Amino acid sequence: MPLTPEISASLDRASTATITTVLLKKGIRRAWMRGPMPLASAAGKRVVGPAFTLRFVPAREDLATPASWSSPISTRAAIEAMPEGVIAIADAMGVTSAGIFGDILCMRMVRRGVKALVTDGVVRDKAGVVATGLPTWCRGTAAPASVNGLTFVGWQEPIACGGVAVFPDDVIVADDDGAVLIPKDLVNFVAEEGEEHERYETWVVSEVERGVPLPGLYPPNDEAKARYEAWKKT
Amino acid sequence: MPLTPEISASLDRASTATITTVLLKKGIRRAWMRGPMPLASAAGKRVVGPAFTLRFVPAREDLATPASWSSPISTRAAIEAMPEGVIAIADAMGVTSAGIFGDILCMRMVRRGVKALVTDGVVRDKAGVVATGLPTWCRGTAAPASVNGLTFVGWQEPIACGGVAVFPDDVIVADDDGAVLIPKDLVNFVAEEGEEHERYETWVVSEVERGVPLPGLYPPNDEAKARYEAWKKT
Amino acid sequence: MPLTPEISASLDRASTATITTVLLKKGIRRAWMRGPMPLASAAGKRVVGPAFTLRFVPAREDLATPASWSSPISTRAAIEAMPEGVIAIADAMGVTSAGIFGDILCMRMVRRGVKALVTDGVVRDKAGVVATGLPTWCRGTAAPASVNGLTFVGWQEPIACGGVAVFPDDVIVADDDGAVLIPKDLVNFVAEEGEEHERYETWVVSEVERGVPLPGLYPPNDEAKARYEAWKKT
Amino acid sequence: MPLTPEISASLDRASTATITTVLLKKGIRRAWMRGPMPLASAAGKRVVGPAFTLRFVPAREDLATPASWSSPISTRAAIEAMPEGVIAIADAMGVTSAGIFGDILCMRMVRRGVKALVTDGVVRDKAGVVATGLPTWCRGTAAPASVNGLTFVGWQEPIACGGVAVFPDDVIVADDDGAVLIPKDLVNFVAEEGEEHERYETWVVSEVERGVPLPGLYPPNDEAKARYEAWKKT
Amino acid sequence: MPLTPEISASLDRASTATITTVLLKKGIRRAWMRGPMPLASAAGKRVVGPAFTLRFVPAREDLATPASWSSPISTRAAIEAMPEGVIAIADAMGVTSAGIFGDILCMRMVRRGVKALVTDGVVRDKAGVVATGLPTWCRGTAAPASVNGLTFVGWQEPIACGGVAVFPDDVIVADDDGAVLIPKDLVNFVAEEGEEHERYETWVVSEVERGVPLPGLYPPNDEAKARYEAWKKT
Amino acid sequence: MPLTPEISASLDRASTATITTVLLKKGIRRAWMRGPMPLASAAGKRVVGPAFTLRFVPAREDLATPASWSSPISTRAAIEAMPEGVIAIADAMGVTSAGIFGDILCMRMVRRGVKALVTDGVVRDKAGVVATGLPTWCRGTAAPASVNGLTFVGWQEPIACGGVAVFPDDVIVADDDGAVLIPKDLVNFVAEEGEEHERYETWVVSEVERGVPLPGLYPPNDEAKARYEAWKKT
């Protein structure tokens, strides 16, 4: 199911908080990733896009060397394979002592039209990465390059990111509360339910603002449901 | 022992750093909570108030559902039980992947005159929570709702928060260094000693500014004590 | 080998990211410290200087008391032993629930010409520490004093800091990506290679800006090497 | 719903592995507790019984003292309240540096007919505890008493144990794979499904022993289902 | 390079301790896996064999279900693809709350001639797994099935296991000290050096037994080297 | 204060559990070490002796090499400095992926009359270490040598071991519940109080055996105290 402009726009109106609540209705509890949080270049932003996965395993001294950067299986080659509009999402196994990308790779991703970078690891050269403008969700920053702790092994494979399983073409949404995954078969459902949920919460906020207590309002009893339905028609 | 306006004002002049030092004189080492740190709405602020405790246990799929929000034992009901001026303090068992409260519940707490929210867990909908103006000390932010990882089981019971035992009516003080607990029987002692300690450190700062070395000054030898006593009289 | 003004200036032009890459050429992977990150007073700054080490072990109730602050082996005495221009680096065993220093000790370090404070632990009285202007890299903030969790045992001994071995007279460099150690015998090598590496990355950035893909450029193939050499001569 | 002798006997024939698989059919994933593992006195045993909950919060130096052992809210009083046949289950918040019980308290539990002790914490005086014969599932052993790290606050309340929510009268089953919780409303379902599941796995084992590959057998395709049904009738 | 019977026999005479020391001479520090330790069925044994890799990502409720066990990408299918003599090695991301295999799958592996199972996760139905006789190195035991926490995604891919990168056809050796990886290009080197190293340590042991102090002996000075060479000729 | 044969014998009659309870009367809560647990060669044993401290910092690739084993500051040299009867206690910073000692060094320690080895790290060549008969308390086993993760820096300095501060000449006691430290100034106090405490618990056990409930008995009320005093006279 392609991520149509309409669905994408609809998802863009739903916060990650809302999306996790909607997914819970389908029994999905493991959608929010532990670790990815917005760097300065992502603060206050929301991004929506299909996942382009990257996979690392631990460094091995005979493999993870600067020389490996010219291997056909390298982060450089992976970046050249990224279509415009994707969100690059990297399984760094939660490693926080080696930055998976620095300013140069992020700059190239911007050039290729990549929408954002999400990882359960960290980046390096923080100031440079922020300066590229690539919205980045990560666990923080470290000075060492990826080869100091990680070996890159492939792209567009199933990965783990922050305790969540990510398959190519699943959809990623990220905002100030972090990054969530929407399984590709649930994208339509989430887009529809998400819009309604946001509308309902807008009404609840207006009620609380005028002093209504929460029990009976959120979640609504029958009386509150009726008032909400009336409000929706206005 | 009630938290009188005088004692409250006195505590308001003592930093959490000072309070932990004063408590150490009574052998209390476990007063500062691991985890709670100020969100943007709390940065630079200091709050003092009696603890109103909230308790969560882990989620169980048959219990921690959106339906549970209308149970008589719910966070909504607990909020309606909070008197004006309390500090709501929640035992989230340090769970960082489910936000205990979002903007709507925080907004209602503000309406009820709650002074602050302190938790060893996280909140959700960070921008919304900050916008309510409720000073919040927590471990960060996550998109999922509490039911994703937690089940609410009661209020005004003894709890753990960040490795510290909290009983209803103990006093909480929070500032940029985090949140500390004052056992209710030690509130007077801390208020008195805290003021004197702050006064002494003010004098030490002025001494260091004029180039006096620390040995003999902090802690003071007899000569420094005499100078301090003289300074106090000025 | 003394840290001459020339070498110091040269290192000052190399980021911590670059330094870790240069050290990797010598097989050194354990140079970046887990934990130390810039407080507000260090943000955007880079510092270079010889290490002056401080060592803590865990608190023991009979030893780690406010009384211990006047012992001849105390943090106060250690500060008076610090020469101008050093970077104080403290092994706090990664403890995050007791601040090793507050505003008064930091103020005294500033007076003595200490360039920066680096620790795998935390500081206390955050606002006060930032106000002293001492550039500080640490794991965050806690209200309790060091005696709450730590006992100071000596200075200018070999220490661990954030998983890295530090010997007196090794060199420390810290910036927005954290803090790295340069073994004293490799200082010259790092200074020279670091400058060249920064120059090369500057050229790569300009290439990426004009749309050149990374494979063949970073790391460079022969054609790219030739273009780089030509650029260097301009 | 009481735990009748028939249901109890039925559960006694199901391993904890089987029970977690059966619970998953009801969407329950959080039933197995992280931490509790059999001490020598429990090795090779299986126990089934209703949960009798115990709750600890962190130690506070003014509360968690040997004197607290004579308080009306004490582990001693809790033990005297335990009916015969229960499984005592203690929320020790995963603390591994203070043993919640030693030989004397375990000996008294044996006297009162308590079936087993389960905790996400540790016990002390390991040799003595084992000698009492009380089957014990815990995280290991520590020398210090509970007051060194914990304060006892009550019994028969909802608790957390090893990441699982436990309510009084839920049922606990423990064996060599650890301890699982059965929500009280699902006890009948688990007893019935568990027996069938064990029967089916017995048949699968016999098939594998005679060389049948797993695909199509486990889980079974239609042909395998038919063979299983035929086997059941023999 | 195939693992010939000669090389295999030679490796079989080298402990994992010796192998890590030999690999260090090639600069390989990341060869020993954190987590895998012998279950009862592996105690006192040493196994050597080529790695057959298995890869899991986290569970997602829509994917990790008992139904997934009949998918073409399943642990069952992977087992049927294992050649005789391999060591199955599974990347379970260190997850300790879901057992990757139980007795039935282990029994089938034994039937297929698999030499051993190594994982950084855990197994379930411990008694049953031990009874199959399959030598197993793992992090322990848990009752829940893999689908409770993990989704199986493939075999014979590069994986991480306990912080070590494993590629198909690397060689695994496991004994009482755990499991180590030998990169396939270093197998000959390790086999040769390992035998010499074991011989040397045998001699050192005999020297220590007759009271020779370690300095000068281990590592040897020239005099000790001469004595060792003499001993070797006897 | 020397550890006289009388005091040593007296401590030998007190379990580590008892010693932590006695130390708590002096306000010492940090005496039991996290990590050290008996290997097979120590199971069921109790050892008492003065601490001989060993200190490691993290490995640095230019320092922690097999060559370092012949440096004057080496574990070999430290062992030759150990007097008969000490307990060697090593600060390995809790590192579990590099064994501080193997069979050869342990064998030499046995030769020199060292009573036991205690560490918050691990040993290597487990079977060999157990075979030397040296009673060893540690966190487990790993194949790699210390140089894989650690650099040895000195002996008879203050150290941390498992969260406890240890100074040379403090006394160590270890048994099945782990290892505890007795500050050297409290050795007499602990020896005396420990004997009395053990005597009292013996009487409590006899009371519980005859069915006396715990409240009023443990801790004793006046009536129980009188009965205990009477029993002591028999």
Side-chain angles (χ1 to χ4, degrees):
Chain A
M1 181 185 322
L3 187 62
T4 63
E6 290 72 27
I7 291 175
S8 189
S10 178
L11 288 174
D12 207 43
R13 287 187 288 272
S15 68
T16 58
T18 289
I19 290 168
T20 58
T21 298
V22 170
L23 285 170
L24 191 53
K25 296 182 188 178
K26 290 289 188 184
I28 309 282
R29 287 172 184 265
R30 303 184 69 159
W32 179 81
M33 298 163 204
R34 296 169 194 250
M37 279 292 162
L39 273 196
S41 50
K45 290 193 183 158
R46 184 176 299 161
V47 297
V48 177
F52 186 97
T53 68
L54 303 165
R55 188 158 78 90
F56 291 89
V57 296
R60 217 168 68 193
E61 290 84 352
D62 55 331
L63 299 172
T65 60
S68 71
W69 291 334
S70 26
S71 149
I73 297 175
S74 73
T75 50
R76 281 76 173 149
I79 289 172
E80 297 304 320
M82 292 177 186
E84 196 180 333
V86 297
I87 294 181
I89 179 162
D91 175 351
M93 299 176 304
V95 167
T96 56
S97 54
I100 60 164
F101 292 133
D103 58 345
I104 292 172
L105 276 72
C106 289
M107 188 182 288
R108 181 64 189 157
M109 281 195 274
V110 170
R111 278 283 165 149
R112 290 194 59 81
V114 170
K115 268 191 173 168
L117 171 64
V118 174
T119 182
D120 60 359
V122 299
V123 294
R124 65 194 298 242
D125 188 8
K126 179 172 153 183
V129 167
V130 169
T132 68
L134 182 72
T136 301
W137 279 257
C138 62
R139 216 172 209 126
T141 314
S146 63
V147 291
N148 215 312
L150 299 164
T151 302
F152 183 70
V153 291
W155 61 89
Q156 289 297 64
E157 297 177 286
I159 60 167
C161 186
V164 173
V166 183
F167 289 74
D169 298 328
D170 286 335
V171 169
I172 307 295
V173 181
D175 63 15
D176 276 356
D177 281 3
V180 299
L181 170 132
I182 309 174
K184 58 177 167 294
D185 295 343
L186 293 175
V187 168
N188 271 351
F189 172 78
V190 170
E192 282 163 29
E193 292 277 315
E195 290 227 90
E196 170 57 17
H197 189 91
E198 293 282 348
R199 193 179 303 120
Y200 168 65
E201 293 218 334
T202 301
W203 175 76
V204 171
V205 163
S206 68
E207 293 286 290
V208 174
E209 271 172 352
R210 63 184 191 84
V212 181
L214 294 175
L217 175 70
Y218 183 63
N221 56 19
D222 289 346
E223 187 270 338
K225 277 178 192 161
R227 278 192 293 129
Y228 171 57
E229 291 304 324
W231 173 87
K232 275 212 288 188
K233 285 169 192 150
T234 62
Chain B
M1 182 185 322
L3 188 61
T4 63
E6 290 70 28
I7 292 176
S8 189
S10 177
L11 289 174
D12 207 42
R13 287 187 288 272
S15 68
T16 58
T18 289
I19 291 168
T20 59
T21 299
V22 170
L23 285 170
L24 192 52
K25 296 183 188 178
K26 291 288 188 185
I28 309 282
R29 287 170 184 268
R30 305 185 69 159
W32 179 81
M33 298 164 205
R34 295 168 193 251
M37 278 291 163
L39 274 195
S41 50
K45 290 193 182 157
R46 184 176 298 160
V47 297
V48 177
F52 185 98
T53 69
L54 302 166
R55 189 159 78 90
F56 290 89
V57 296
R60 216 168 70 192
E61 291 83 350
D62 55 331
L63 298 173
T65 61
S68 71
W69 290 334
S70 24
S71 148
I73 297 176
S74 72
T75 50
R76 280 78 174 148
I79 289 172
E80 297 304 319
M82 291 177 186
E84 199 180 332
V86 297
I87 293 182
I89 179 163
D91 174 352
M93 299 176 304
V95 166
T96 57
S97 55
I100 59 163
F101 292 133
D103 58 345
I104 292 172
L105 276 72
C106 288
M107 188 181 289
R108 181 65 189 156
M109 281 194 276
V110 170
R111 277 285 165 149
R112 290 194 58 80
V114 170
K115 268 190 172 169
L117 172 64
V118 173
T119 182
D120 60 359
V122 299
V123 295
R124 65 193 299 240
D125 188 8
K126 180 172 152 182
V129 167
V130 169
T132 68
L134 181 72
T136 301
W137 279 257
C138 62
R139 215 171 209 127
T141 314
S146 63
V147 291
N148 215 310
L150 299 165
T151 302
F152 183 71
V153 291
W155 62 89
Q156 289 295 67
E157 298 177 284
I159 60 168
C161 186
V164 174
V166 183
F167 289 74
D169 297 327
D170 285 334
V171 168
I172 307 296
V173 181
D175 64 15
D176 277 356
D177 281 3
V180 298
L181 169 131
I182 308 174
K184 58 177 166 295
D185 294 343
L186 293 175
V187 168
N188 271 352
F189 172 78
V190 170
E192 281 163 30
E193 292 278 314
E195 289 225 270
E196 169 57 17
H197 189 92
E198 293 283 349
R199 194 178 303 121
Y200 169 65
E201 293 219 333
T202 300
W203 175 76
V204 171
V205 164
S206 67
E207 294 287 289
V208 174
E209 271 172 353
R210 65 184 191 83
V212 180
L214 294 175
L217 176 71
Y218 183 65
N221 55 20
D222 288 346
E223 187 270 337
K225 275 179 194 160
R227 277 194 293 128
Y228 171 55
E229 292 303 324
W231 174 86
K232 274 212 290 189
K233 286 171 190 148
T234 62
Chain C
M1 182 185 323
L3 187 62
T4 64
E6 291 71 29
I7 291 176
S8 189
S10 178
L11 289 174
D12 207 43
R13 287 187 290 271
S15 68
T16 58
T18 289
I19 290 168
T20 58
T21 298
V22 171
L23 286 171
L24 192 52
K25 296 182 187 177
K26 291 288 187 185
I28 309 282
R29 288 170 184 268
R30 303 183 71 159
W32 179 81
M33 298 164 205
R34 296 169 194 250
M37 278 292 163
L39 274 195
S41 50
K45 292 194 182 156
R46 184 176 300 160
V47 296
V48 178
F52 185 98
T53 68
L54 303 166
R55 188 160 79 90
F56 290 90
V57 296
R60 215 168 70 193
E61 290 83 351
D62 55 332
L63 298 173
T65 60
S68 70
W69 290 335
S70 24
S71 149
I73 296 175
S74 73
T75 50
R76 280 77 174 150
I79 290 172
E80 299 304 319
M82 291 178 187
E84 197 180 334
V86 298
I87 294 182
I89 179 163
D91 174 352
M93 298 176 304
V95 166
T96 57
S97 54
I100 59 163
F101 291 134
D103 57 347
I104 292 172
L105 277 71
C106 289
M107 188 181 288
R108 181 65 189 156
M109 281 194 275
V110 170
R111 278 282 165 150
R112 290 194 58 80
V114 171
K115 267 191 173 168
L117 171 64
V118 173
T119 182
D120 60 359
V122 299
V123 295
R124 65 193 299 240
D125 188 7
K126 181 173 154 182
V129 167
V130 168
T132 67
L134 182 72
T136 301
W137 280 257
C138 62
R139 214 170 210 130
T141 314
S146 63
V147 289
N148 214 312
L150 299 165
T151 301
F152 183 71
V153 291
W155 61 90
Q156 289 296 66
E157 298 178 285
I159 60 167
C161 186
V164 173
V166 182
F167 289 73
D169 297 326
D170 286 334
V171 169
I172 307 296
V173 181
D175 63 15
D176 277 355
D177 282 3
V180 299
L181 169 132
I182 309 174
K184 57 178 167 295
D185 294 343
L186 294 174
V187 168
N188 271 353
F189 172 79
V190 170
E192 280 162 32
E193 291 277 315
E195 290 225 272
E196 169 58 17
H197 190 92
E198 293 282 349
R199 193 178 304 120
Y200 168 64
E201 293 220 333
T202 301
W203 175 75
V204 171
V205 163
S206 68
E207 293 287 289
V208 175
E209 271 172 352
R210 63 183 192 87
V212 180
L214 294 176
L217 176 70
Y218 184 63
N221 56 20
D222 289 346
E223 187 270 336
K225 276 179 192 158
R227 277 193 292 129
Y228 170 56
E229 292 303 324
W231 173 87
K232 274 212 287 191
K233 285 169 193 152
T234 62
Chain D
M1 182 185 322
L3 187 62
T4 64
E6 291 70 28
I7 292 176
S8 188
S10 177
L11 289 174
D12 207 43
R13 287 187 289 272
S15 69
T16 58
T18 290
I19 290 168
T20 58
T21 300
V22 171
L23 285 171
L24 192 52
K25 296 183 187 177
K26 291 288 188 184
I28 310 283
R29 287 170 183 267
R30 304 183 71 157
W32 179 82
M33 298 163 205
R34 295 168 194 251
M37 279 292 163
L39 273 196
S41 50
K45 291 194 181 156
R46 184 176 299 159
V47 298
V48 177
F52 185 97
T53 68
L54 303 166
R55 189 159 79 89
F56 290 89
V57 297
R60 216 168 69 193
E61 290 83 351
D62 54 333
L63 299 172
T65 60
S68 71
W69 290 333
S70 25
S71 148
I73 297 176
S74 73
T75 51
R76 280 76 173 151
I79 289 172
E80 298 303 320
M82 292 178 187
E84 197 180 333
V86 297
I87 294 181
I89 180 163
D91 174 352
M93 298 176 304
V95 166
T96 56
S97 55
I100 59 163
F101 291 133
D103 58 344
I104 292 172
L105 277 70
C106 289
M107 188 182 289
R108 181 65 189 157
M109 281 194 274
V110 170
R111 278 281 165 151
R112 291 195 56 81
V114 170
K115 268 189 173 171
L117 171 64
V118 174
T119 182
D120 60 359
V122 299
V123 294
R124 65 194 299 240
D125 188 7
K126 180 172 153 183
V129 167
V130 169
T132 68
L134 182 72
T136 301
W137 280 257
C138 62
R139 216 171 209 129
T141 313
S146 62
V147 290
N148 215 310
L150 299 164
T151 302
F152 183 70
V153 291
W155 61 89
Q156 291 295 66
E157 298 178 285
I159 61 168
C161 186
V164 173
V166 182
F167 288 75
D169 298 327
D170 285 335
V171 168
I172 307 296
V173 182
D175 64 14
D176 276 356
D177 281 4
V180 299
L181 170 132
I182 309 175
K184 58 177 168 293
D185 294 343
L186 293 175
V187 168
N188 271 352
F189 172 79
V190 169
E192 281 163 30
E193 292 277 314
E195 290 226 273
E196 170 57 18
H197 189 91
E198 292 283 347
R199 193 179 302 122
Y200 168 65
E201 293 218 334
T202 301
W203 175 75
V204 171
V205 163
S206 68
E207 293 287 289
V208 174
E209 270 172 354
R210 65 185 191 83
V212 181
L214 293 175
L217 176 70
Y218 183 63
N221 56 19
D222 289 346
E223 188 270 337
K225 276 178 193 160
R227 277 193 293 129
Y228 171 56
E229 292 302 324
W231 174 88
K232 276 212 288 190
K233 286 169 190 151
T234 63
Chain E
M1 183 184 319
L3 187 62
T4 64
E6 291 71 27
I7 291 175
S8 189
S10 178
L11 289 174
D12 207 42
R13 285 187 289 271
S15 68
T16 58
T18 289
I19 291 169
T20 58
T21 298
V22 170
L23 285 170
L24 191 53
K25 296 183 188 177
K26 291 289 187 185
I28 310 282
R29 287 172 184 266
R30 303 184 69 159
W32 180 80
M33 299 164 203
R34 296 169 194 249
M37 278 292 162
L39 273 195
S41 50
K45 290 193 182 156
R46 185 176 299 159
V47 298
V48 178
F52 185 98
T53 68
L54 304 166
R55 188 160 78 90
F56 290 90
V57 296
R60 216 168 69 193
E61 290 84 350
D62 55 332
L63 299 172
T65 61
S68 71
W69 290 334
S70 25
S71 149
I73 297 175
S74 73
T75 50
R76 280 78 174 150
I79 289 172
E80 297 304 318
M82 292 177 187
E84 198 180 331
V86 297
I87 293 181
I89 180 163
D91 174 352
M93 299 177 302
V95 167
T96 57
S97 55
I100 60 164
F101 291 133
D103 58 344
I104 292 172
L105 276 71
C106 288
M107 189 181 288
R108 181 65 189 156
M109 281 194 275
V110 170
R111 279 282 166 151
R112 291 193 57 79
V114 170
K115 268 190 174 169
L117 171 64
V118 173
T119 182
D120 60 359
V122 298
V123 295
R124 64 194 299 240
D125 188 8
K126 179 173 154 183
V129 167
V130 168
T132 68
L134 181 72
T136 301
W137 280 257
C138 62
R139 216 173 209 127
T141 315
S146 63
V147 290
N148 214 310
L150 299 165
T151 301
F152 183 71
V153 291
W155 60 89
Q156 289 296 66
E157 298 177 285
I159 61 168
C161 186
V164 173
V166 182
F167 289 74
D169 298 326
D170 285 334
V171 169
I172 307 296
V173 181
D175 63 15
D176 276 356
D177 282 3
V180 299
L181 170 132
I182 309 174
K184 57 177 167 295
D185 294 344
L186 294 174
V187 168
N188 271 353
F189 172 79
V190 170
E192 282 162 31
E193 292 277 316
E195 289 225 270
E196 170 57 17
H197 190 91
E198 293 282 348
R199 194 178 304 121
Y200 168 64
E201 294 220 332
T202 301
W203 175 76
V204 171
V205 163
S206 68
E207 292 287 289
V208 174
E209 272 172 352
R210 64 182 191 85
V212 180
L214 295 175
L217 176 71
Y218 184 62
N221 55 21
D222 289 347
E223 188 269 338
K225 275 179 194 159
R227 277 192 294 130
Y228 170 57
E229 291 304 323
W231 173 88
K232 272 211 288 190
K233 285 169 193 151
T234 62
Chain F
M1 180 184 324
L3 187 62
T4 64
E6 291 70 29
I7 291 175
S8 189
S10 178
L11 289 174
D12 207 43
R13 286 187 289 272
S15 67
T16 58
T18 289
I19 290 168
T20 58
T21 299
V22 170
L23 285 170
L24 191 53
K25 296 183 187 178
K26 291 289 187 184
I28 309 282
R29 287 170 185 268
R30 304 183 71 159
W32 179 81
M33 299 164 203
R34 296 169 193 251
M37 278 293 163
L39 272 195
S41 49
K45 291 194 182 154
R46 183 176 300 159
V47 296
V48 178
F52 185 98
T53 69
L54 302 166
R55 189 159 77 91
F56 292 88
V57 297
R60 216 168 69 192
E61 290 84 351
D62 55 333
L63 299 173
T65 61
S68 70
W69 290 334
S70 26
S71 149
I73 297 175
S74 73
T75 50
R76 281 78 172 147
I79 290 171
E80 299 303 319
M82 292 177 187
E84 198 180 332
V86 298
I87 294 181
I89 180 162
D91 174 352
M93 298 176 305
V95 166
T96 57
S97 55
I100 59 163
F101 291 133
D103 59 345
I104 292 172
L105 277 71
C106 289
M107 188 182 290
R108 181 66 190 154
M109 282 194 274
V110 170
R111 278 281 164 153
R112 291 193 57 80
V114 170
K115 268 190 173 169
L117 171 63
V118 174
T119 182
D120 60 359
V122 299
V123 295
R124 64 194 298 241
D125 188 8
K126 179 173 153 182
V129 167
V130 169
T132 67
L134 182 71
T136 301
W137 279 256
C138 63
R139 215 170 210 130
T141 314
S146 62
V147 291
N148 215 310
L150 298 165
T151 301
F152 183 71
V153 291
W155 61 89
Q156 289 295 67
E157 298 177 285
I159 60 167
C161 186
V164 173
V166 182
F167 289 73
D169 298 326
D170 286 336
V171 169
I172 307 295
V173 181
D175 63 16
D176 278 355
D177 282 2
V180 300
L181 170 132
I182 309 174
K184 57 178 168 293
D185 294 343
L186 293 174
V187 168
N188 271 352
F189 172 78
V190 169
E192 281 163 30
E193 292 277 315
E195 289 225 274
E196 169 58 18
H197 189 91
E198 293 283 347
R199 194 179 303 122
Y200 169 65
E201 293 219 332
T202 301
W203 175 76
V204 170
V205 164
S206 68
E207 294 286 289
V208 174
E209 271 172 353
R210 64 183 192 87
V212 180
L214 294 175
L217 176 70
Y218 183 61
N221 55 20
D222 288 346
E223 187 271 336
K225 277 178 192 162
R227 277 192 294 131
Y228 171 57
E229 292 303 325
W231 174 88
K232 274 211 288 188
K233 287 168 192 154
T234 63

